């Protein structure tokens, strides 16, 4: 089978021919139909997250997959050959950018009939992170207002929809065509961050979802109401700044969870949310997909069609 493999930090990911793995025990062999890229793939390739996810080379790449069950490790498990499934693979082990992957049975989630594989592949990291931040960590309420940075990005495009689904008021930042995209996803107000200064335009925000970090994160403290929450997917918020503004600041470290991914899938179908897809490319165009992800300009998810 073909698989994208990294030979070392900062090396170009390369398509290799490798043996199809055999599932044993509680493992399932999934025939991959689609996989999604994430900024994490770029950070892993650059060695920027070595402290959390140390890679051993050669290292198969990719975390987010959707496909069908090809083989089961044990006939007693609940998965059957032909089941449509999705999963988030461990970032250290990778293996999503391939024709087949071994997945532990308890990490698999059923792909409902109405969800195509490209869209399903877009969910495991980005949508589940938005969910973990807004629903589980912030406990966002219908009466509240949330500021979503990078509303046209992978995490932000889901965050806007989930927040609206909860009944909250949503303000998003974006630029260029991203402004209209964020509006169409359900944002009540979109701030074009290239021509407008969010920090002087909004105040009394209940929750900020920071997907940018740095100066954007620091300036976001000032738009919160007292007791508000700044959640960052990029870096742990400065606790001294949080205390000075009398707000909470927390880092959201997304952990793979089949239960959370099932909740996400339910919300997607129950509330009619959609997966914003930047582009779909074949595995042979992986370099282009990776470059697009590394650009930081994607509108939603970059999908590999396998
Ligand atoms: N901690 C965790 O567990 C976790 C989980 C998931 C993601 N993350 C991290 O969260 C970050 C966001 O992830 P993602 O998947 O959403 O990234 P992404 O899809 O690559 O985000 C791209 C979007 O960011 C927008 N953008 C860039 N700079 C901006 C700015 N200053 N203000 C507003 N929008 C801006 C771009 O719009 P323009 O082209 O218009 O600028 C683009 O639409 C990444 O750093 C990722 O690694 C962390």
């Amino acid at each position: 089978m073909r698989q994208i493999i990294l030979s070392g930090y900062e090396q170009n990911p390369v398509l290799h021919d490798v043996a199809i793995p055999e599932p044993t025990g509680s493992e399932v062999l999934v025939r991959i139909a689609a996989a999604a890229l994430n900024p994490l793939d770029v950070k892993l390739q650059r060695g920027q997250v070595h402290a959390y996810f140390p890679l051993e080379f050669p290292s198969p790449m990719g975390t987010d997959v959707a496909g069908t069950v090809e083989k089961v490790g044990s006939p007693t498990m609940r998965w059957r050959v032909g089941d449509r499934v999705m999963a988030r693979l461990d970032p250290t082990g990778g293996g999503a950018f391939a024709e087949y992957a071994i997945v532990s049975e308890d990490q698999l989630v059923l792909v409902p009939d109405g969800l195509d594989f490209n869209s399903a592949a877009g969910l495991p990291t980005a949508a589940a992170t938005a969910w973990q931040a807004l629903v589980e960590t912030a406990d966002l309420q219908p009466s509240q207002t949330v500021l979503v940075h990078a509303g046209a990005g992978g995490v932000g495009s889901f965050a806007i929809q989930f927040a609206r689904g909860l009944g909250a008021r949503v303000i998003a930042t974006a630029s260029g065509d991203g402004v209209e995209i964020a509006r169409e996803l359900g944002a009540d107000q979109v701030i074009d961050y290239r021509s407008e200064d969010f920090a002087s335009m909004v105040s009394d925000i209940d929750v900020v979802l920071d997907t940018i970090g740095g100066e954007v994160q620091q300036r976001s403290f000032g738009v919160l109401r007292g007791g508000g929450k700044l959640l960052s997917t990029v870096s742990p918020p400065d606790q001294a700044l949080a205390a000075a503004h009398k707000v909470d600041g927390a880092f959201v470290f997304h952990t793979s969870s089949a239960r959370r991914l099932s909740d996400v899938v339910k919300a997607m179908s129950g509330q009619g949310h959609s997966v914003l897809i930047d582009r779909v490319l074949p595995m042979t165009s992986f370099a282009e997909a990776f470059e697009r992800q590394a650009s930081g300009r994607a509108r939603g998810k970059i999908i590999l069609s396998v």
Side-chain angles (χ1 to χ4, degrees):
M1 68 164 186
R2 294 174 305 159
Q3 185 178 53
I4 301 285
I5 294 177
L6 195 60
S7 61
Y9 289 131
E10 307 252 27
Q11 299 301 304
N12 288 331
V14 173
L15 193 58
H16 284 272
D17 267 317
V18 299
I20 298 176
E22 269 300 311
T24 57
S26 60
E27 293 174 344
V28 173
L29 179 69
V30 176
R31 184 191 189 100
I32 299 172
L37 284 83
N38 288 284
L40 178 59
D41 302 313
V42 178
K43 293 178 184 181
L44 284 164
Q45 185 262 0
R46 291 176 179 164
Q48 289 171 345
V49 285
H50 179 83
Y52 303 101
F53 304 116
L55 299 186
E56 281 179 20
F57 300 104
S59 182
M61 294 186 73
T63 54
D64 294 13
V65 285
T68 48
V69 171
E70 178 81 6
K71 229 182 211 186
V72 292
S74 144
T76 56
M77 69 172 62
R78 74 176 174 110
W79 300 107
R80 294 283 166 267
V81 172
D83 282 350
R84 302 172 80 240
V85 292
M86 68 176 98
R88 181 173 190 264
L89 309 183
D90 167 53
T92 311
F97 306 149
E99 288 175 308
Y100 296 90
I102 292 286
V103 186
S104 169
E105 64 167 331
D106 58 4
Q107 288 302 314
L108 287 172
V109 169
L110 200 66
V111 175
D113 284 341
L115 192 63
D116 62 84
F117 283 131
N118 287 346
S119 298
L123 297 176
T125 296
T129 299
W131 188 268
Q132 184 177 334
L134 296 184
V135 179
E136 297 176 6
T137 311
D139 189 21
L140 190 67
Q141 298 298 310
S143 57
Q144 294 187 317
T145 300
V146 59
L147 171 63
V148 175
H149 283 296
V155 175
S157 59
F158 290 112
I160 290 175
Q161 298 182 80
F162 293 155
R164 272 301 292 264
L166 290 166
R169 179 174 149 72
V170 183
I171 304 172
T173 61
S175 84
D177 62 335
V179 172
E180 195 45 42
I181 289 170
R183 214 170 266 137
E184 281 169 9
L185 289 169
D188 298 281
Q189 180 184 351
V190 185
I191 298 170
D192 186 335
Y193 75 89
R194 289 187 198 269
S195 57
E196 299 170 313
D197 174 26
F198 75 91
S200 59
M201 292 176 70
V202 297
S203 56
D204 281 329
I205 302 288
D206 298 286
V207 176
V208 173
L209 179 59
D210 163 40
T211 55
I212 305 295
E215 198 198 333
V216 170
Q217 182 186 105
Q218 287 182 7
R219 300 183 72 237
S220 291
F221 282 110
V223 307
L224 285 162
R225 66 164 166 83
K229 295 173 186 163
L230 188 155
L231 303 175
S232 178
T233 61
V234 181
S235 57
D238 182 331
Q239 292 305 313
L241 263 182
H245 284 90
K246 298 189 170 50
V247 300
D248 291 332
F251 180 52
V252 177
F253 186 81
H254 171 249
T255 45
S256 305
S257 153
R259 181 199 50 75
R260 178 182 302 120
L261 189 51
S262 298
D263 289 347
V264 164
V265 171
K266 264 184 234 146
M268 294 296 297
S269 6
Q271 307 229 329
H273 299 324
S274 58
V275 179
L276 176 65
I277 293 185
D278 181 87
R279 62 196 60 192
V280 180
L281 291 165
M283 266 177 88
T284 45
S285 299
F286 184 79
E288 185 186 338
F290 192 74
E291 195 182 320
R292 175 67 176 162
Q293 186 65 75
S295 76
R297 300 273 86 91
R299 270 77 177 106
K301 301 304 301 170
I302 299 159
I303 305 294
L304 277 190
S305 176
V306 180

